[in-house]
Amino acid sequence: MSEVLTKSTARNIFYGGSLFFFVIFVGLTAHSRHYILTKGTDNAGLTESVERGKRVWERNACFDCHTLHGEGARFAPEVGDVFRRWGGEKDPAGAHQMIKDWMKAQPSGAQGRRQMPQFNLTEAQLDDLADYLAWVSRTNTQGWPPRPKAN
Amino acid sequence: MSVTTSRLTRAFILLITLSLVLAVAADAHASAFWLVVVVLAAALKTRIVLARYLGLDAAPAALTGFFAVTFLVLALVAGSILVFPTPQQPLRAENHSSSQH
Amino acid sequence: MNAATTQTADAPAEWGPLSALPGHPLMWVLIASELAVFGLALLGYAGARAQNPLAFALEQDSLNRLAGVANTALLLTSGYFAARANQAAHAGDATRTRLWLAAASALGLGFLVVKGFEYAGEFAAGHDIDSSPFFTLYFLVTGFHALHVVLGLIILGIVGRLATKTAVETGTAFWHMVDLIWLVVFPVFYLMR
Amino acid sequence: MQYQTQNIAKTYWLGALLIFAVQVSFGLVGGLIYIAPNLLPVEYFPFNMVRMIHTNALIVWLLLGFFGAAYYLIPEESEREIWSPKLAYVQFAIFFLGGLSAVVGYLFHIYADNARSYLEQPVWIKLGIIVAALIFLLNISMTVLQGRKTAITNVLLLGLWGIAIFFLFSLYNPANTSEDKMFWWYVVHLWVEGTWELVMASVLAFLMLKITGVDREVIEKWLYIIIATALFSGILGTGHHYYWIGAPGYWQWIGSIFSSLEVVPFFGMMIFCFAMVWKGRRDHPNKAAMIWSLGCSVLAFFGAGVWGFLHTLHGINFYTHGTQVTAAHGHLAFYGAYVCLNLAIMTYAFPYLFNRAPYNQVLNIASFWITSAGVVFMTVSLTFAGALGTHLERVQGMSYMDAQDQIGLFYLLRFGGGVVTVLGALLFISSLLLMPRTKTVVTGAIPAAAE
């Protein structure tokens, strides 16, 4: 049989095809990165406080209980839109305070209720975290999560 | 190679002719009739490419399989257009405004 | 390959049903994958259109149909040249093979130029990949197809250098697949409404 | 065992089994917290720490298993000893101690300042992992380059290089959460639905080669078809993670289309394994290894393929994203594709490594059925929890915690499945450590090294 039917050709087609898809993927990622930094998120409003808030979120592994934009663990509620759910669009200061108060009141100790630990964050860290949650609530998530009319 | 040059050339001429049919259909007013013409002409073209250009004449099972896929896609899209037709009146009215830009 | 090729001959029968096809069997795995991808995309198009036929029809009307017809002719002619290259390769005529492949590639390049002008016109009219469901699908599917044309040109270049029978058969199989996909994509986006 | 250095695998696999036990135990603790939230004091057992150990231990032991598999099969494939056994042990020490200290550190809440899911390791441990990976790649590449090159070693090497390269993205953590998420999936998705699949396909191909005795020709062609469909669909399939994180809307189309084709390679692997066993001329004495291999292909098809497809279309994912449906898919997919794979190659190789072939496989075979039944039961429970939770919360508009209260029964069932899984896992580990010699030699069973 001719040379071309050999496995080295199979390998080349496999490498070539995969490379083709990977190059497209990288190109689309680059475009998406641009989109995220210009349209998808409030990148202009990404203050130092928001960034510090993200590190608080990461340092305390909040995502290992909560989801954020649907990603993370499913032990505790979604927080990508918690700022909005708690009325942050109309009363930002109120929602900000609610988040801080919530964090300070944990764990609830309520029987049969999942417990959130007390993280002993400083006042500044709590402010940063609340700013971060306000910032992520402004991300364009293509309409997610679904918001059925609550009963 | 089972396909001779003259068969290949005839296939090519037929393909270009069918493309002209499609071009005429494209300018004709949208209707179920022309939709069916478009689908049949396009399907015939895919079959010619599969059989002659790709040489699947020599592998009838593959020819049937690949043709079935392309025909099915065209037929399903056309079917959904027939089930969910474009509303006629507003289309004409807005056609003029949209053709201006 | 070296010592690894303890296996002496790749008998075609070992690829099962794929071995009846012209060119390298793995190329047909790629071709089948591509057909599946484009098929699913076009069915997705039908689903999206069903939710708003009017908007789709209006935006379809704004496409440049003449450019689409011209591109169809370019690809079909290019495919014809590629098929002639294949014949020349089977006859063992490397020079003619390369000439036909060069002609096929030139028309493929022409396709990209026409497509480029079309895109430029659409961007100028304010359409882009985010602007509406129709244009998202249009740019995704035709853009993905255009990238296949680019890949096809690279492949034709490679097999043109080798100019062996099976290499050309494998490379032109991919090129015809690009052609074939356009024959389905073009009527769906430009004509069927 | 034909090559001395295949013994390296023994060390890696014993380490892997230890961490496997840790992983399933912490899974059980996590399941317990779901059903009895006040039982364990939250200061010492916060759920996030438990989950972190569960997932990280999983990754660490699966990787140790892959390394072991590479050290075991590459000498046989390349027909020569591992380039530097010493480096292999150095690599083991770095990787195992790094992984173990990460897990122990989590107990004391020591993790990265910029932790992300699966990537909670402190930076110095991440760097250790990279150093270990570099040593490994050097060692393996040198062995392969000097020896016989086969499709199996080629694909395995490509997969292992990919694992190392994409892990580098774990070091990049931009301030913009959406951008962060996009590149986080470069590690997570391109691992489990890209490079790991290459490792899986090549190890399965090796097992089929040895167990069934089908020609290398046939097996390697299947291998190429499977990995080609895996990467052609899997790379752009990443798009199914980009639907709702702030990325452009076109990912909904790309993700839906490409990831619905991600079923194909898993289907191919299943058909491949059964076809090879069917065609196989050899009556290999290690039935347990054959059962694990076939089980791997079937459960991977259902877990990664079918359960993945269930919620990959963007219209469905809009509702199920971020619910227990994802957890259901994750459990069966990891178990079917990667846990079973590791256990299959261990089951195949241990009798040779410990010179005990043939051995009594009853315990091992029983552990396959028990563990798999446990995981499948967990998956089904979580699927119900997810589907019902989705309906209550995302369709009817009930609040998260109220909806969770309604699905408590399924968490109880999941815990039951978890208990069975842990028992099965412990049974598996003890079956390998005890490995009793069989008293009656089965007819046709030849206690010689395969091939």
Side-chain angles (χ1 to χ4, degrees):
Chain A
M1 228 8 238
S2 73
E3 150 83 359
V4 171
L5 284 186
T6 56
K7 277 188 308 233
S8 64
T9 307
R11 198 186 54 205
N12 292 343
I13 295 174
F14 164 69
Y15 283 154
S18 303
L19 188 67
F20 175 66
F21 288 106
F22 192 68
V23 167
I24 294 178
F25 178 63
V26 170
L28 286 169
T29 308
H31 175 266
S32 296
R33 183 174 176 276
H34 177 74
Y35 173 95
I36 284 170
L37 298 183
T38 53
K39 288 195 233 168
T41 61
D42 176 21
N43 204 50
L46 207 168
T47 60
E48 282 180 18
S49 165
V50 172
E51 185 173 356
R52 283 195 304 268
K54 182 171 187 274
R55 303 302 169 208
V56 172
W57 166 265
E58 291 165 351
R59 176 67 191 85
N60 295 287
C62 305
F63 50 82
D64 268 320
C65 288
H66 292 273
T67 51
L68 197 163
H69 302 332
E71 291 175 357
R74 293 132 198 108
F75 182 73
E78 163 73 23
V79 292
D81 64 345
V82 71
F83 192 77
R84 208 186 316 198
R85 287 206 311 270
W86 287 2
E89 278 168 318
K90 281 179 196 146
D91 178 13
H96 186 102
Q97 192 58 43
M98 271 172 84
I99 290 171
K100 291 175 68 178
D101 290 345
W102 175 268
M103 293 292 296
K104 287 179 196 165
Q106 303 305 317
S108 71
Q111 275 305 309
R113 198 85 176 159
R114 294 180 197 166
Q115 296 299 309
M116 178 161 163
Q118 176 51 251
F119 288 100
N120 299 313
L121 300 181
T122 65
E123 202 66 17
Q125 285 174 322
L126 286 171
D127 281 325
D128 292 339
L129 184 65
D131 282 347
Y132 175 63
L133 292 178
W135 184 83
V136 293
S137 79
R138 295 196 292 273
T139 296
N140 173 9
T141 54
Q142 308 287 336
W144 193 88
R147 295 187 186 83
K149 297 264 182 296
N151 31 15
Chain B
M1 197 66 192
S2 61
V3 183
T4 60
T5 306
S6 64
R7 284 182 82 189
L8 204 54
T9 310
R10 261 182 285 143
F12 169 64
I13 293 169
L14 189 53
L15 281 169
I16 294 293
T17 317
L18 283 168
S19 300
L20 289 177
V21 173
L22 276 171
V24 172
D27 269 351
H29 184 68
S31 70
F33 172 73
W34 284 112
L35 186 64
V36 173
V37 171
V38 166
V39 168
L40 291 181
L44 190 53
K45 282 165 73 178
T46 62
R47 189 168 176 100
I48 296 169
V49 167
L50 284 165
R52 299 280 193 271
Y53 280 13
L54 273 165
L56 290 191
D57 270 341
L63 176 60
T64 312
F66 281 109
F67 177 67
V69 172
T70 57
F71 183 70
L72 195 67
V73 170
L74 284 165
L76 285 174
V77 175
S80 93
I81 294 176
L82 291 176
V83 176
F84 305 96
T86 309
Q88 282 303 318
Q89 267 320 100
L91 173 62
R92 254 184 235 135
E94 289 196 38
N95 235 344
H96 296 288
S97 60
S98 74
S99 62
Q100 274 162 12
H101 62 238
Chain C
M1 307 239 335
N2 54 6
T5 29
T6 45
Q7 51 279 5
T8 44
D10 270 317
E14 285 165 13
W15 286 92
L18 290 179
S19 41
L21 299 165
H24 194 282
L26 202 61
M27 183 55 88
W28 284 90
V29 173
L30 180 62
I31 291 177
S33 313
E34 301 286 9
L35 283 179
V37 165
F38 279 98
L40 288 174
L42 295 179
L43 295 183
Y45 169 89
R49 183 201 157 276
Q51 290 163 33
N52 196 348
L54 184 59
F56 270 60
L58 290 175
E59 289 174 321
Q60 263 180 308
D61 263 355
S62 71
L63 296 183
N64 186 342
R65 257 180 238 142
L66 189 62
V69 173
N71 260 347
T72 308
L74 279 174
L75 276 194
L76 287 174
T77 315
S78 172
Y80 174 69
F81 290 168
R84 294 298 299 265
N86 197 12
Q87 285 187 325
H90 278 255
D93 189 339
T95 316
R96 271 167 170 273
T97 305
R98 293 195 177 112
L99 280 175
W100 282 120
L101 284 178
S105 306
L107 294 186
L109 218 52
F111 175 92
L112 290 176
V113 171
V114 172
K115 199 75 215 159
F117 277 110
E118 251 188 287
Y119 281 159
E122 282 141 11
F123 288 137
H127 304 298
D128 65 44
I129 198 162
D130 279 328
S131 56
S132 69
F134 175 80
F135 274 105
T136 298
L137 279 163
Y138 167 79
F139 282 114
L140 276 182
V141 173
T142 59
F144 193 46
H145 176 264
L147 289 172
H148 280 80
V149 176
V150 175
L151 178 63
L153 289 174
I154 296 171
I155 291 177
L156 289 187
I158 294 171
V159 300
R161 264 187 60 199
L162 301 171
T164 61
K165 195 179 82 162
T166 351
V168 173
E169 211 170 65
T170 306
T172 52
F174 183 84
W175 189 245
H176 294 313
M177 187 271 297
V178 173
D179 200 345
L180 180 76
I181 286 170
W182 180 253
L183 293 185
V184 183
V185 166
F186 168 66
V188 168
F189 277 94
Y190 289 76
L191 307 180
M192 288 163 66
R193 60 201 197 280
Chain D
M1 210 176 67
Q2 296 146 296
Y3 297 89
Q4 271 310 308
T5 47
Q6 287 183 292
N7 253 321
I8 299 169
K10 206 191 279 181
T11 310
Y12 276 81
W13 282 336
L14 290 175
L17 288 175
L18 176 70
I19 300 184
F20 178 34
V22 173
Q23 180 240 324
V24 291
S25 313
F26 273 83
L28 204 58
V29 175
L32 183 63
I33 296 178
Y34 259 94
I35 56 171
N38 310 92
L39 189 66
L40 301 169
V42 69
E43 309 88 276
Y44 301 114
F45 289 96
F47 184 81
N48 61 350
M49 179 266 276
V50 173
R51 177 182 189 255
M52 199 182 301
I53 294 177
H54 180 56
T55 57
N56 282 234
L58 172 72
I59 306 289
V60 168
W61 89 257
L62 288 180
L63 286 175
L64 278 172
F66 289 165
F67 293 149
Y71 283 122
Y72 183 82
L73 71 81
I74 280 179
E76 272 189 45
E77 284 291 296
S78 300
E79 295 179 338
R80 68 192 46 226
E81 299 285 356
I82 292 291
W83 186 61
S84 164
K86 199 177 284 173
L87 274 182
Y89 288 110
V90 171
Q91 179 219 339
F92 174 78
I94 297 174
F95 193 88
F96 183 74
L97 292 179
L100 203 63
S101 50
V103 166
V104 173
Y106 295 158
L107 285 172
F108 302 98
H109 306 269
I110 299 167
Y111 31 90
D113 278 344
N114 54 1
R116 271 93 43 81
S117 217
Y118 302 105
L119 306 176
E120 291 93 344
Q121 314 82 19
V123 177
W124 60 273
I125 289 185
K126 286 200 183 87
L127 293 176
I129 292 173
I130 291 170
V131 170
L134 286 176
I135 296 175
F136 173 73
L137 290 173
L138 172 73
N139 209 350
I140 291 297
S141 303
M142 290 308 284
T143 313
V144 169
L145 285 178
Q146 291 176 349
R148 181 179 70 148
K149 287 162 201 68
T150 67
I152 291 176
T153 54
N154 247 326
V155 174
L156 182 64
L157 208 56
L158 181 69
L160 294 166
W161 271 95
I163 289 176
I165 288 168
F166 288 116
F167 185 71
L168 294 179
F169 282 93
S170 72
L171 297 174
Y172 180 59
N173 186 353
N176 187 306
T177 294
S178 298
E179 191 197 352
D180 167 14
K181 282 170 177 288
M182 195 167 72
F183 287 110
W184 178 74
W185 285 114
Y186 262 62
V187 187
V188 179
H189 178 94
L190 292 181
W191 266 22
V192 297
E193 284 160 80
T195 50
W196 285 33
E197 272 185 61
L198 300 184
V199 174
M200 177 187 175
S202 60
V203 173
L204 269 184
F206 175 81
L207 282 169
M208 287 299 125
L209 188 67
K210 298 293 171 181
I211 294 177
T212 68
V214 171
D215 284 353
R216 178 179 289 276
E217 289 297 279
V218 180
I219 283 179
E220 296 197 334
K221 280 164 188 172
W222 270 94
L223 178 61
Y224 269 116
I225 293 178
I226 289 168
I227 58 169
T229 52
L231 289 199
F232 295 168
S233 63
I235 293 172
L236 283 167
T238 317
H240 65 191
H241 299 297
Y242 292 169
Y243 296 162
W244 327 113
I245 61 167
Y250 56 69
W251 286 110
Q252 293 175 19
W253 290 107
I254 299 175
S256 294
I257 291 166
F258 281 91
S259 63
S260 32
L261 296 173
E262 283 186 40
V263 186
V264 175
F266 287 107
F267 186 71
M269 269 190 260
M270 185 170 70
I271 299 298
F272 160 66
C273 288
F274 279 88
M276 291 309 107
V277 170
W278 187 255
K279 274 177 81 163
R281 303 181 301 267
R282 184 177 292 158
D283 187 19
H284 197 275
N286 198 333
K287 295 287 174 255
M290 187 186 310
I291 289 177
W292 277 106
S293 308
L294 292 175
C296 170
S297 71
V298 173
L299 292 170
F301 168 68
F302 280 100
V306 177
W307 252 255
F309 178 72
L310 277 183
H311 60 140
T312 200
L313 298 177
H314 65 87
I316 295 169
N317 191 265
F318 180 66
Y319 292 99
T320 59
H321 179 59
T323 67
Q324 298 291 344
V325 176
T326 315
H329 159 58
H331 278 86
L332 193 57
F334 263 113
Y335 175 74
Y338 303 122
V339 174
C340 284
L341 180 79
N342 265 307
L343 303 189
I345 182 87
M346 288 180 200
T347 300
Y348 168 76
F350 261 60
Y352 299 124
L353 288 173
F354 288 85
N355 201 18
R356 293 263 179 85
Y359 73 106
N360 187 328
Q361 302 161 17
V362 176
L363 281 185
N364 190 312
I365 292 175
S367 79
F368 167 79
W369 292 106
I370 295 172
T371 318
S372 302
V375 176
V376 168
F377 193 76
M378 268 201 289
T379 302
V380 173
S381 315
L382 285 174
T383 307
F384 278 108
L388 189 58
T390 301
H391 180 73
L392 294 173
E393 193 189 340
R394 302 274 167 78
V395 180
Q396 294 201 326
M398 198 180 270
S399 81
Y400 175 84
M401 281 316 297
D402 290 344
Q404 291 294 305
D405 286 342
Q406 299 290 313
I407 55 182
L409 171 67
F410 296 107
Y411 292 132
L412 194 61
L413 293 175
R414 186 265 299 266
F415 183 73
V419 172
V420 175
T421 306
V422 173
L423 291 177
L426 296 178
L427 187 62
F428 176 84
I429 294 170
S430 43
S431 83
L432 280 195
L433 296 182
L434 300 174
M435 233 185 329
R437 278 175 195 278
T438 183
K439 292 193 178 73
T440 53
V441 175
V442 191
T443 43
I446 313 136
E451 211 178 53

